[in-house]
Amino acid sequence: MNVRLVSLRFKLLLRQKIGWVSLLAGVALILMGYSTANVSFVSPAKIFWDFSLGLSFALVHILGIYLAGQLFHDEKDRRTLHLVLVGGVSRVRWLIGNTLGIWLGLLAIDGVWFVTTWLVSWTSFSWLGSPLLIQVKILQALSLLVVISFTALFSLLLRPLLALFLSASLAIFLYSVSSIERIFSDTSSAPLVDASWALSVLKVAKFLPPLEWFDLKMFVGYESSVAWGPMFLTSILGIAWSALLLGLASWRFSRLDL
Amino acid sequence: MAEHEPDLIELKQLSKEFHKGTRVLDSLDLRLKSGESVALVGANGAGKSTLIKIILGLVRPTSGELRVFGEEPGDPALLQKIGYLPEVPGFWGELSAQELLGDMGALRGLPESQMIRRRERLLGILGLTLRGSRRMGGYSKGMLQRTGIAAALLHDPQLLILDEPMSGLDPRAQEKLRALLLKLKQSGKTLLISSHSLEDIRSLCDRVVVLEKAKIVLDGATEEILSALVERYRSSEPWDEDPLGELPQEWSLDG
């Protein structure tokens, strides 16, 4: 990995319209969430945090899929891919450096949103939060890395639009496996729907990254933290999946004619 | 050129076929020695850019052998010895030329002080001192080309591969670049220049290699090959699969 390459991608992201416009749009939406929370009679602080965490979760994933899905094709069309590769950077370093650059850029943007939310929560609702908020963000960061990694892999295998569509669909599926399973295994709907095929398709999810494990948002307001042991193991799992997916992407990239 | 000098680039029966069965390079044999200045000439689509990309390790040959500095192409350490200017240099419009050269120098592992010294010198030579701090999104084609030249020279490479180096430059800048390339040639650098300009080839290159329909059809001293090339162009048999059409007596699109 090349730190300079990571910082170059990070710098580019924050200078591109998509970077700073998303940053400002996110801050504006969080402030809108404040107005929404204020009209609620029940626990406005919790509503505000739910809104903010949900919003940042959706935005960083949409941005991550878009940026990682476009990265290779954009850089190739712009011919900056050739510039860097001929500049003595190996293909593996290019791929990993740029993927991590996108990831860190998004984490920085998410960090600004988080601080904005926390400041509003503290000043308006006098709620300082709990360690769980940090845990939510750590696992969200790792699941984002997994999503960016499989998007990068798809972008090297498929046309850009197809890669974006497949990545988005897979991310939605992996974050919703339990919900889908619940719908199809609900006995009250069994007479109407033949769920056996759907449940067998869901078994595929057992061989894919379990992104649901990384989503702790729903515990905010109910728990102050989750056990650090399982969280640590989940983090290791996220890193392992990302490494595997980036390894496959690197293998594919090293075989492409550019 | 002394015979015992090692070949800087050596191609043996090198071929490249793309997926749809199109053979863009067919059994090429070519040797480039250190210090040579060679022009790569051919019609659009003759395979010049693909050959250059193979030498740089961006495209893999289908068959044959290739050695660059005695090594497999594409190795990052090997690319430290090569400077490349593509036909249309591509940059990030969000960065300035100064920033770009800074990042490229850092990626190549140049020490900061050396990078800054070289960057300022190159920006000065190429007329980008005043505008070097502005974002490249607002640069003209000529300024982008000059930035590309600076990026290709920043690490002081032994081998320079230049694809249409004069493209987009005004006459004064072309003259300046020609003088610069002559100086580089005199300093012992090896030049591989892909160009359609016979004037540039005549003034810069000692040897010309002509690619036609994926094969090397002529290879020799500049004057000899350029004369043969002009004859070839004049020959009645079109050498291009899809040759240029005849002009009408008087201009009319509907006639």
Side-chain angles (χ1 to χ4, degrees), chain A residues 2 4 8 11-12 15-16 75 78-80 82-88 90-91 255-258, chain B residues 16 18 53 57-60 76 79 84 88 90-92 94-95 99-100 102-104 106-108 135:
Chain A
N2 192 312
R4 193 72 189 208
L8 173 63
K11 181 166 65 179
L12 285 168
R15 283 195 191 177
Q16 283 164 348
E75 293 289 305
R78 217 188 330 201
R79 292 174 299 277
T80 38
H82 293 165
L83 177 78
V84 176
L85 292 181
V86 173
S90 74
R91 293 187 186 201
R255 273 151 188 78
L256 281 181
D257 277 343
L258 304 172
Chain B
K16 177 64 188 176
F18 283 116
K53 283 183 177 178
L58 296 170
V59 169
R60 289 184 307 162
L79 289 166
Y84 170 56
V88 184
F91 304 116
W92 299 278
E94 297 84 5
L95 301 184
E99 286 176 306
L100 175 94
D103 285 324
M104 294 313 295
L107 287 175
R108 287 192 179 275
R135 289 194 177 184

Side-chain angles (χ1 to χ4, degrees), chain A residues 27-204:
Chain A
V27 171
L29 285 169
I30 288 166
L31 296 176
M32 267 174 62
Y34 165 73
S35 324
T36 314
N38 262 335
V39 296
S40 165
F41 297 106
V42 187
S43 184
K46 176 169 168 26
I47 289 177
F48 177 62
W49 272 103
D50 282 350
F51 180 88
S52 175
L53 291 174
L55 181 83
S56 71
F57 174 85
L59 283 180
V60 291
H61 280 80
I62 291 168
L63 284 171
I65 289 171
Y66 176 76
L67 292 168
Q70 297 285 315
L71 174 70
F72 166 68
H73 297 283
D74 262 5
E75 293 289 305
K76 194 180 171 203
D77 291 345
R78 217 188 330 201
R79 292 174 299 277
T80 38
L81 173 66
H82 293 165
L83 177 78
V84 176
L85 292 181
V86 173
V89 173
S90 74
R91 293 187 186 201
V92 174
R93 277 170 63 200
W94 183 90
L95 186 76
I96 295 174
N98 277 293
T99 307
L100 292 181
I102 289 175
W103 183 60
L104 290 175
L106 291 175
L107 292 190
I109 290 174
D110 194 32
V112 173
W113 292 338
F114 182 76
V115 170
T116 308
T117 308
W118 185 81
L119 282 174
V120 172
S121 169
W122 177 41
T123 53
S124 304
F125 306 116
S126 307
W127 195 64
L128 282 168
S130 61
L132 181 65
L133 291 175
I134 303 295
Q135 293 178 315
V136 167
K137 285 293 162 187
I138 290 171
L139 288 191
Q140 180 184 301
L142 289 166
S143 67
L144 177 66
L145 184 59
V146 175
V147 171
I148 288 176
S149 302
F150 67 62
T151 306
L153 173 63
F154 293 154
S155 76
L156 294 165
L157 294 165
L158 305 165
R159 289 174 185 277
L161 266 179
L162 198 57
L164 288 180
F165 176 75
L166 184 63
S167 306
S169 307
L170 184 62
I172 292 167
F173 172 71
L174 293 176
Y175 276 117
S176 335
V177 174
S178 301
S179 309
I180 300 170
E181 208 163 23
R182 252 195 319 274
I183 292 167
F184 284 106
S185 53
D186 182 358
T187 49
S188 62
S189 63
L192 296 173
V193 183
D194 175 18
S196 56
W197 64 270
L199 289 171
S200 53
V201 168
L202 284 175
K203 281 181 188 156
V204 174

